[in-house]
Amino acid sequence: MWEHMLAGLLNAMTPVNLLVAALGITGGILIGALPGLTATMGVALLVPLTFAMDPATGLVMLGAVYTGAIYGGANSAILINTPGTPSSVATTFDGWPLCKQGRADEALITSLFSSSFGGIVGTIFLAFVAVPLAIFSLKFGAPEFFWLCIFGLSTIAAMSMDNVLKGLISGAIGLLIACIGLDPMTGAPRFTFGSYSMVQGIEVIPAMIGLFSFSQVINLVGSRDKFIADYKPTPGALRRVLTKIYQKCKMNIMRSSLIGTVVGILPGAGGEIASIIAYNETKRWDKDPAKYGKGAIEGVVASESANNAVIGGSLIPLLTLGIPGSAVAAIIMGGLLAHGIAPGFKIFTQHGDVAYTFIMSLIVANILMFFVGLALIKGTARILNIPTSYIGVGVVVLSIIGSYAIRNSMLDVAMMIVFGLIGHFGGRIGLDTGAMALGLILGHIIEENLGKSMALAGAEGSIWAVFFGSTISFILILLTIASVMTPFFLKKRAAKAAAARGGAKVD
């Protein structure tokens, strides 16, 4: 295996492949940073270009675009509070507050390094332990997916520690909105109000653009601030960020990367679930959880390392079992088939040169991304020095284009505006847009897997055996209970600490 990896590394570092990787990363970052232009769309658009390329070179380009696009979503998440991709939703929780504090460069560098690190960890697992992880992923059926999403949904309790009730209401609203459209089990239309266009349901990306982007434009218009933030490049930001990550975030970045890798191998899970779970676990294990949501670099580290680690994880079942772990992995599978290469474990024996070149190119791409990203940060951060009136117009234009581009539907544009109003006015009364987005993202997956589990329980004649019979389900249930109870334990600990400080002052 080692000789194949070395040959793959040398092949990935040929001048042609390095150039293709650099161009793919740059294009991917720009695609990811633009709201509505997802990694899936970017990779899909470039697949036809690979038909005229060598199979290995084509895969190098697709992998580089995938890598760059997932990271690129963090740029708009941090600078304008708009997740460029759904997997960057959790990055807005602390990235935007850091930007408002004039520390945008620190947030951008943190997201860049964390994304590169997470991507490398995910690829290492792809290279060395793909087979056992792929076998583990096969143990996830509908009940396990249901409990995984419930665990992800339970993070609302930790996200909304200041007001758990409003957080739960926000999540419930998101779940309710996710029910619009056809019932996944019966095909019956629900909450469509007699409109045929509503039968297709609410597309997640336009909703995210509205909740985070269009609502932010409304806030900017109502603000008297001339600029988004008082931003000035700070010398030594790179050294400070790397030092802080090394001193305080070693466990965080490794734990989050592992979470991203494991979630990535589960077909259909995706970076949004991985980043939110990683964010919640980081907050749970921190000695000062109150700082999250107010500009904690640790939150950016968790989100970005997890969502980029998903890339390597999602390719594990593709290359070993022929089962794509994500929408982008499915498109890459199509590219392989177009070249006459069938995904599956035989790819390592029949087309080992292509497989190992692709794997090693992902490591090279993540290293390249760090340097390409550093060069782009100097330009992207300057968006904060543009007057908010110009920023507002630009964001509105990009929001409309991004929403329309998903399905070429004006309904999505209308929904984007509606969700923008919901995000703006909901924020004013204390609703949590992050919890609402989480409910909307997970709602479809929860309902689909709940329906499958209930059908399975009817066939087996035991709900208990289906929902609580497997070890994985039992572990996820325990994690969900721990996640829900965490805010109460933290509040109790904070109250005891405050009482102890008060007693010490009295003495």
Side-chain angles (χ1 to χ4, degrees):
M1 183 176 71
W2 289 103
E3 61 271 18
H4 292 300
M5 287 190 178
L6 179 59
L9 179 61
L10 294 175
N11 195 17
M13 295 184 67
T14 60
V16 172
N17 285 339
L18 283 176
L19 177 61
V20 167
L23 292 175
I25 289 166
T26 305
I29 292 174
L30 296 177
I31 289 170
L34 296 174
L37 302 184
T38 62
T40 305
M41 184 183 299
V43 174
L45 289 173
L46 292 177
V47 165
L49 295 180
T50 67
F51 296 161
M53 297 180 180
D54 176 77
T57 302
L59 286 175
V60 168
M61 184 181 70
L62 296 181
V65 173
Y66 189 8
T67 300
I70 296 298
Y71 154 69
N75 289 273
S76 53
I78 292 167
L79 294 175
I80 56 176
N81 197 29
T82 304
T85 58
S87 59
S88 297
V89 169
T91 306
T92 62
F93 300 160
D94 287 286
W96 174 244
L98 282 167
C99 178
K100 295 289 286 183
Q101 295 167 17
R103 300 165 61 194
D105 50 357
E106 292 185 32
L108 290 169
I109 293 171
T110 300
S111 68
L112 176 60
F113 179 80
S114 302
S115 295
S116 297
F117 186 90
I120 291 172
V121 170
T123 307
I124 289 173
F125 274 84
L126 170 62
F128 291 100
V129 290
V131 175
L133 285 177
I135 294 173
F136 170 73
S137 71
L138 293 178
K139 296 181 179 180
F140 267 73
E144 287 78 14
F145 270 110
F146 170 75
W147 286 117
L148 176 66
C149 293
I150 293 296
F151 174 50
L153 203 60
S154 70
T155 59
I156 290 175
M159 286 166 51
S160 312
M161 287 180 59
D162 295 335
N163 196 323
V164 176
L165 179 60
K166 287 186 176 180
L168 293 175
I169 292 173
S170 304
I173 292 173
L175 289 173
L176 181 62
I177 294 171
C179 292
I180 296 174
L182 295 177
D183 186 297
M185 301 303 296
T186 66
R190 305 171 304 182
F191 308 115
T192 58
F193 306 102
S195 172
Y196 177 76
S197 299
M198 294 288 285
V199 170
Q200 58 188 332
I202 303 299
E203 181 65 36
V204 171
I205 294 175
M208 297 298 102
I209 293 174
L211 284 174
F212 293 97
S213 179
F214 198 77
S215 63
Q216 190 59 38
V217 171
I218 299 174
N219 293 334
L220 288 175
V221 171
S223 171
R224 296 183 179 180
D225 297 333
K226 187 177 180 181
F227 300 98
I228 291 179
D230 183 18
Y231 171 71
K232 294 180 181 178
T234 52
L238 175 61
R239 178 179 53 80
R240 287 198 309 275
V241 166
L242 295 182
T243 301
K244 185 168 185 178
I245 291 176
Y246 176 75
Q247 293 178 345
K248 298 183 178 181
C249 301
K250 291 192 294 290
M251 288 298 296
N252 175 7
I253 196 169
M254 183 56 70
R255 178 179 60 241
S256 300
S257 299
L258 293 176
I259 289 173
T261 303
V262 173
V263 173
I265 68 173
L266 307 177
E272 49 269 41
I273 297 177
S275 61
I276 290 170
I277 291 176
Y279 183 90
N280 180 63
E281 292 307 302
T282 298
K283 185 175 182 179
R284 185 208 309 276
W285 293 101
D286 200 294
K287 295 180 180 179
D288 182 21
K291 67 186 178 184
Y292 289 85
K294 301 175 183 177
I297 281 181
E298 292 85 348
V300 178
V301 169
S303 173
E304 287 302 307
S305 56
N307 62 31
N308 266 72
V310 165
I311 295 172
S314 68
L315 295 173
I316 288 174
L318 171 65
L319 295 182
T320 56
L321 303 173
I323 302 172
S326 66
V328 180
I331 295 171
I332 293 175
M333 178 178 177
L336 284 169
L337 292 173
H339 284 282
I341 300 173
F345 195 75
K346 286 186 177 179
I347 193 175
F348 291 98
T349 56
Q350 297 178 353
H351 304 280
D353 55 335
V354 175
Y356 284 106
T357 298
F358 179 42
I359 292 172
M360 300 311 294
S361 75
L362 291 174
I363 293 179
V364 174
N366 278 285
I367 296 172
L368 271 177
M369 184 174 72
F370 182 73
F371 297 100
V372 173
L374 279 179
L376 293 177
I377 280 175
K378 297 178 181 179
T380 54
R382 297 186 184 280
I383 192 175
L384 300 177
N385 293 328
I386 300 175
T388 54
S389 56
Y390 298 146
I391 293 292
V393 172
V395 171
V396 169
V397 171
L398 290 175
S399 298
I400 293 174
I401 294 174
S403 300
Y404 182 79
I406 302 300
R407 297 186 295 194
N408 296 329
S409 171
M410 286 303 297
L411 174 66
D412 289 336
V413 177
M415 287 296 103
M416 180 271 293
I417 296 173
V418 169
F419 277 95
L421 296 174
I422 292 174
H424 173 69
F425 291 107
R428 297 186 69 173
I429 62 175
L431 294 181
D432 191 330
T433 54
M436 197 180 301
L438 183 58
L440 181 59
I441 290 170
L442 297 180
H444 300 285
I445 308 174
I446 290 174
E447 184 180 16
E448 181 180 352
N449 286 286
L450 176 61
K452 290 179 180 177
S453 300
M454 292 300 295
L456 185 61
E460 294 190 2
S462 175
I463 291 180
W464 178 268
V466 170
F467 281 94
F468 307 98
S470 74
T471 304
I472 296 175
S473 293
F474 183 71
I475 293 173
L476 290 171
I477 291 169
L478 292 179
L479 290 174
T480 300
I481 294 172
S483 180
V484 171
M485 297 303 296
T486 294
F488 301 101
F489 286 119
L490 293 177
K491 283 186 177 181
K492 190 174 181 180
R493 188 176 69 180
K496 285 184 178 180
R501 288 195 299 269
K505 289 180 181 179
V506 171
D507 294 339

